[in-house]
Amino acid sequence: MKILLFRDAVLTGILLCGMAASLPVAFAQGSMIVEPGALIAAPKATLFESKQNLLPSLVGIRAVDEQNMFNDNGRMKMASAERMGNGIIIDPSGIIVTSAHIVNRAKYVLVRLPNGTEVEARVIYTGKEDFSFLKVNVPGFLKPVVWADSSRVRSGDPVVAIIDRESVQGGAITKLVGRGQAEIIEMDVDLKHGDSGGPVFDEQGGLLGLVMARAESQKNKSYAVASNTIHQEYLKFKGSVLVGAE
């Protein structure tokens, strides 16, 4: 199987889709008060009925690299390149999860918020799988996504990816990969270059995974980091921040 290289990230036979600490605050969901990042059941409404409720949790990511290059006259000049992708708000204080291969080693990272404003972010954590946490400092409340329990999904379950806040791609889970629990979700969703960091939802609008890659040899095959893998590391990270603040 061909090994494909996108920048510095290597996966066997799959193509990464990315382009070349705060105190918790409880938030209200319906009649419940939910701690940010808490693993709860997704809402009753179907995803398509609640799409407008999901969009405030989705952002765009732009990572900028700068490097020295020689021009035609042999003189050094600064050149920049951008990697584009998506992200998901997971904490109202401004913590966002995105694909690590988008933001790793970037000179700076910009986040396009749901209101269209673009702000600078910093990488505060990189997980064991292909994801990183970003932090933005903005006034007001950012709406976090609702987590789904990825340990409950099975092959054949329907999923939906929302890319660039507009494109909706539906499909089903085809395989669950992991040691003891699903860490990577394989699905027959047709994604493309630049879709990394986007959310994969269940039918009720709960976050099941984070888009990371697509297969090179098969059009309708993509991969996502399972939500429980991200959620567990998020809770550990949040706990370490709180301990450090004491």
Side-chain angles (χ1 to χ4, degrees), residues 123-196:
V123 179
I124 57 175
Y125 180 84
T126 296
K128 61 181 181 178
E129 299 294 348
D130 182 25
F131 67 89
S132 291
F133 298 148
L134 309 178
K135 180 69 170 68
V136 296
N137 295 313
V138 295
F141 176 86
L142 294 177
K143 182 180 178 181
V145 75
V146 174
W147 299 89
D149 185 352
S150 59
S151 70
R152 295 178 177 272
V153 299
R154 299 291 182 267
S155 293
D157 286 356
V159 293
V160 176
I162 299 180
I163 305 300
D164 294 330
R165 296 175 50 82
E166 294 296 333
S167 175
V168 178
Q169 299 288 338
I173 295 173
T174 55
K175 185 185 296 185
L176 300 170
V177 180
R179 298 174 294 276
Q181 67 171 357
E183 297 173 350
I184 303 296
I185 297 173
E186 180 187 284
M187 52 196 175
D188 61 357
V189 178
D190 186 18
L191 299 176
K192 63 183 185 304
H193 194 53
D195 289 346
S196 283

Side-chain angles (χ1 to χ4, degrees), residues 24-29 32-43 89-92 144-150 205-207 227-228 230-232 234-236 238:
V25 179
F27 64 96
Q29 176 178 313
M32 298 183 294
I33 299 297
V34 183
E35 189 72 12
L39 194 62
I40 63 171
I89 298 169
I90 59 174
D91 191 286
V145 75
V146 174
W147 299 89
D149 185 352
S150 59
L207 182 68
S227 60
N228 283 16
I230 301 170
H231 184 257
Q232 289 163 7
Y234 162 72
L235 292 179
K236 290 178 183 177
K238 188 172 70 170

Side-chain angles (χ1 to χ4, degrees), residues 2-11 14-16:
K2 185 179 179 181
I3 296 177
L4 299 170
L5 176 65
F6 259 28
R7 296 194 58 83
D8 298 324
V10 181
L11 290 174
I14 63 178
L15 191 62
L16 299 177

